[in-house]
Amino acid sequence: MATNLQIRSVDEEMAAAAKAEAARRRMSLSDYLKELIARDLAEHVASRHRAALYAEIAETSPRNVRREDTAGALAEVRREMGTG
């Protein structure tokens, strides 16, 4: 189910810039803003995943870790996150 959102008190320059960018992309302003929101939320989720991973790494001391093992683990995480 869709929900209507409203943004109030948007600076005229910002509104004009957003409209121009949407037009440049051949999108409606609504679709452009939805894309921005979706991208921002996805980045936030990825950032939380990275923070959790870094915290887990910080809590774990290395034990006979080879460079090849590290590269393989990094590649696996990137595949899971869809970034590699």
Side-chain angles (χ1 to χ4, degrees):
M1 180 184 221
T3 299
N4 292 324
L5 296 176
Q6 184 177 31
I7 302 172
R8 298 177 187 189
S9 302
V10 176
D11 179 84
E12 286 184 28
E13 283 185 32
M14 185 184 301
K19 287 177 186 178
E21 183 61 21
R24 188 187 72 74
R25 294 175 184 228
R26 295 186 172 136
M27 300 172 75
S28 69
L29 179 59
S30 180
D31 286 342
Y32 173 63
L33 294 175
K34 286 188 282 187
E35 182 180 282
L36 288 178
I37 292 168
R39 188 179 325 137
D40 184 69
L41 292 173
E43 288 173 6
H44 180 69
V45 168
S47 177
R48 286 196 334 236
H49 284 295
R50 277 192 302 275
L53 178 61
Y54 295 156
E56 183 179 336
I57 290 168
E59 293 173 3
T60 308
S61 61
R63 295 185 180 101
N64 300 325
V65 178
R66 298 177 310 151
R67 189 175 227 151
E68 296 80 19
D69 296 334
T70 302
L74 179 59
E76 183 180 339
V77 168
R78 285 180 174 158
R79 277 192 304 275
E80 289 174 1
M81 293 179 68
T83 61

